[in-house]
Amino acid sequence: MSAERRNADGFALQVMIGLCLIWGVQQVLIKWAAADIAPVMQAAGRSGISALLVGLLICWKGGWDQVGSTWRGGLLAGALFGLEFLFIAEGLQLTTAAHMSVFLYTAPIFTALGVHFLLASERLRPLQWLGILLAFIGIAIAFAGGVSWDNLDRRMLLGDAFGVLAGACWGATTVVVRASRLSEAPVTLTLFYQLMVGFIGLLLIALFSGQITHVSLTTVAVASVLFQGLVVSFFSYLVWFWLLRRYLAANLAVFSFMTPLFGVTFGVLLLGEALSLNFVIGAVLVLLGITFVSAEQWLRRRLRKALGQR
């Protein structure tokens, strides 16, 4: 019998703050190191390092016996994972890390829409539909860039679109995991599929696009890839899965919204990125919409408690 999941406590909050800091700085590091190593090569490198470590972990704890029943879903999830990081890599060459941090985390919106149509047990509720509407209004406002169309930065607009597409791929990956036999597989095996297929795909894209030669082993480049591979893709993902096995997902989802806030903050402080009023307003609406979608049950319980209802 699986352990009963409990409400998030002070320990969970502290761990989530640490994870959100790690995830929030990720886009900033990719952009910071882009002059020394192509973002696509960074994504391939981090996936390769993490895939090796996760593979060794599976050898130690077991899980290879389920490959026969899960490989189809694993390949699809891995392809979507690789596509997500391709959009991130290409988008960061066109837009800011702050913008990418917000648009990437639209993923829960696309996950909710996907499971709504595929899983009868997870139909969207009115508050979640409101959240989706708010999020897409926020995206439209953030994309506007100014009152006049003449003020639009088309490169940034394309980069922002890549950010939304990356979020859509992330959301689709989650839907594949939830709706396939991967939902019953060890989390290490599910993660391995994504990392290994993503590594191979991104490396091939870097090879055929000529970006594989855009590598200078500077301190910044090496530190960025090692941080992403060891800390982000391996350590933080496993800690996240560990939390999901012990705490209610809705509670953790509320805390996870700190990630784009940290991403925007790091982008401004470390890279000197400017924020337009349109983007700030749009980002607030996007984050509010994501909260309504991902934490709908938690918000409902809080509302009932405030109103004195059971």
Side-chain angles (χ1 to χ4, degrees), residues 225-308:
V225 174
L226 288 179
F227 179 84
Q228 294 177 62
L230 298 175
V231 179
V232 180
S233 294
F234 181 69
F235 172 75
S236 73
Y237 288 176
L238 291 179
V239 171
W240 169 247
F241 288 130
W242 181 84
L243 286 174
L244 286 174
R245 289 180 179 273
R246 287 159 178 78
Y247 295 96
L248 295 172
N251 290 178
L252 297 177
V254 175
F255 297 145
S256 69
F257 302 142
M258 292 183 289
T259 300
L261 299 179
F262 284 132
V264 170
T265 301
F266 288 137
V268 172
L269 295 179
L270 299 180
L271 300 178
E273 296 176 346
L275 300 178
S276 68
L277 180 60
N278 293 70
F279 175 73
V280 172
I281 295 173
V284 170
L285 289 175
V286 168
L287 294 177
L288 185 61
I290 294 171
T291 303
F292 284 176
V293 170
S294 295
E296 185 268 345
Q297 293 183 5
W298 181 85
L299 290 171
R300 222 162 10 101
R301 284 197 298 269
R302 286 289 181 179
L303 182 60
R304 287 177 177 175
K305 187 176 181 180
L307 296 175

Side-chain angles (χ1 to χ4, degrees), residues 44-58:
R46 62 166 271 171
S47 296
I49 292 171
S50 304
L52 175 62
L53 293 174
V54 173
L56 292 174
L57 187 59
I58 297 174

